[in-house]
Amino acid sequence: MGHEKMLLVVVVALMVSSRVYGAGGNFRDEFEPTFGDNRVNMAGRDLSLSLDQYSGSGFRSKREYLYGRLDMQMKFVEGNSAGTVTTLYLTSDQSTGRHDEIDFEFLGNVSGQPYTIHTNVFSQGQGSREQQFHLWFDPSKAFHTYSIVWNPKLIMFLVDETPLRVFRNYENHGITFFPKNQAQKIHASLWEADDWATRGGLEKIDWSKAPFVAHYRNFNIDTSPNGAYRNHDLNAQSRRRLRWVQKNYMIYNYCTDWKRFSSSFPPECKHAKFN
């Protein structure tokens, strides 16, 4: 591997080959646009996506990954972002109908109201494992680091090293819902979803504020065989932080939605409270 390749950084948490990528890589070397044409602006170590009345925009990694740690610095749409969705997620080939996926979605809001972080996990084409949160800061004012750790035991969603959510592999309890066999690509996008994104679709997008812009930078991934992600888990301090977030900032948890799962909850819910 040449020196310039060693400087590359990917932004997801899963790589088939055994490499460690450090921060500071060039987006063009590892990513490609998926839609939006020149609304995807790759400028070396920085990338921006824009949304207007005609189209949103997105990009994806050129390679697939299996297990690892992803870090990405992001800054969301400022001001009135109602009806917009900014994303960072991992997904395998969705055309199979049995894809795996690990989602960060950031739902905009009217000025002065908080963003909603929407997280979800898919396994073999099945999802419906949503948890949603607000944040303790305004994510449109400065860059913050959004991370996904994915190993055979768990998936952890973090913001600035504070865990928001842990989704565990309960295979030892006979529960098979966990993405573990399919390599996934990194995807990111900015698009319009004002039929549901903000207050269930009550707040519509204000096109007079277009173009809407979201920023990405400093992507990083570790997929080395002995990387710290392999054994990453909660310790006493991070467990306290997780409980603090879930007590004060969680606004939806599928495992407590009695109306939605009136007959029976997904099987992992009876174990999830012990995270």
Side-chain angles (χ1 to χ4, degrees):
M1 182 185 304
H3 177 67
E4 62 182 14
K5 294 263 187 188
M6 289 296 292
L7 294 177
L8 299 181
V9 193
V10 187
V11 82
V12 173
L14 342 70
M15 187 151 190
V16 174
S17 57
S18 300
R19 299 179 184 175
V20 178
Y21 291 82
N26 189 312
F27 273 93
R28 291 187 182 276
D29 292 323
E30 292 298 327
F31 296 94
E32 59 189 6
T34 51
F35 69 103
D37 299 321
N38 60 2
R39 296 172 185 82
V40 182
N41 182 16
M42 295 187 184
R45 300 177 181 182
D46 298 282
L47 185 152
S48 65
L49 298 177
S50 64
L51 163 67
D52 56 35
Q53 295 96 319
Y54 303 102
S55 179
S57 52
F59 64 95
R60 68 183 177 191
S61 62
K62 297 177 181 179
R63 292 181 268 191
E64 296 179 321
Y65 311 94
L66 183 64
Y67 296 137
R69 176 177 176 129
L70 141 76
D71 302 288
M72 176 74 84
Q73 290 186 348
M74 301 173 62
K75 184 159 72 78
F76 305 149
V77 174
E78 292 190 67
N80 185 352
S81 58
T84 69
V85 179
T86 306
T87 72
L88 177 65
Y89 64 100
L90 317 175
T91 184
S92 61
D93 182 359
Q94 297 192 7
S95 68
T96 65
R98 298 181 61 82
H99 77 288
D100 292 345
E101 189 172 331
I102 302 169
D103 289 344
F104 257 140
E105 294 185 334
F106 309 96
L107 314 183
N109 213 330
V110 295
S111 298
Q113 296 300 311
Y115 264 80
T116 295
I117 294 186
H118 178 95
T119 65
N120 201 359
V121 176
F122 287 73
S123 176
Q124 296 294 309
Q126 301 298 314
S128 301
R129 266 66 178 181
E130 302 94 340
Q131 288 185 356
Q132 294 184 341
F133 306 84
H134 287 156
L135 288 168
W136 47 99
F137 56 84
D138 185 342
S140 70
K141 298 301 184 184
F143 282 93
H144 293 267
T145 301
Y146 301 85
S147 305
I148 295 172
V149 175
W150 179 29
N151 63 41
K153 298 183 301 182
L154 59 80
I155 297 164
M156 189 179 296
F157 298 83
L158 306 100
V159 177
D160 293 336
E161 291 302 308
T162 294
L164 301 183
R165 177 181 186 180
V166 179
F167 188 90
R168 295 190 181 275
N169 183 352
Y170 290 113
E171 194 171 20
N172 60 332
H173 293 282
I175 299 170
T176 59
F177 189 99
F178 191 84
K180 61 181 181 178
N181 297 320
Q182 301 187 70
Q184 305 185 51
K185 285 190 174 184
I186 307 156
H187 286 251
S189 58
L190 173 61
W191 49 289
E192 174 266 321
D194 73 357
D195 57 332
W196 65 270
T198 307
R199 295 183 59 212
L202 294 178
E203 301 288 350
K204 300 300 183 181
I205 197 166
D206 182 357
W207 289 116
S208 71
K209 301 295 191 297
F212 303 95
V213 181
H215 300 271
Y216 299 74
R217 73 180 188 188
N218 291 345
F219 57 93
N220 185 68
I221 184 171
D222 177 10
T223 61
S224 58
N226 300 314
Y229 74 91
R230 298 290 303 185
N231 297 307
H232 189 96
D233 206 335
L234 296 170
N235 56 28
Q237 180 180 2
S238 60
R239 190 179 299 275
R240 286 194 296 270
R241 293 292 289 175
L242 176 69
R243 289 173 176 168
W244 173 76
V245 169
Q246 295 191 341
K247 177 182 178 181
N248 295 287
Y249 296 98
M250 178 184 280
I251 59 172
Y252 178 80
N253 181 3
Y254 74 103
C255 281
T256 60
D257 191 340
W258 292 94
K259 292 182 179 179
R260 183 180 181 191
F261 299 103
S262 57
S263 57
S264 63
F265 283 101
E268 69 275 5
C269 288
K270 62 183 178 182
H271 303 286
K273 59 185 177 183
F274 300 111
N275 280 332

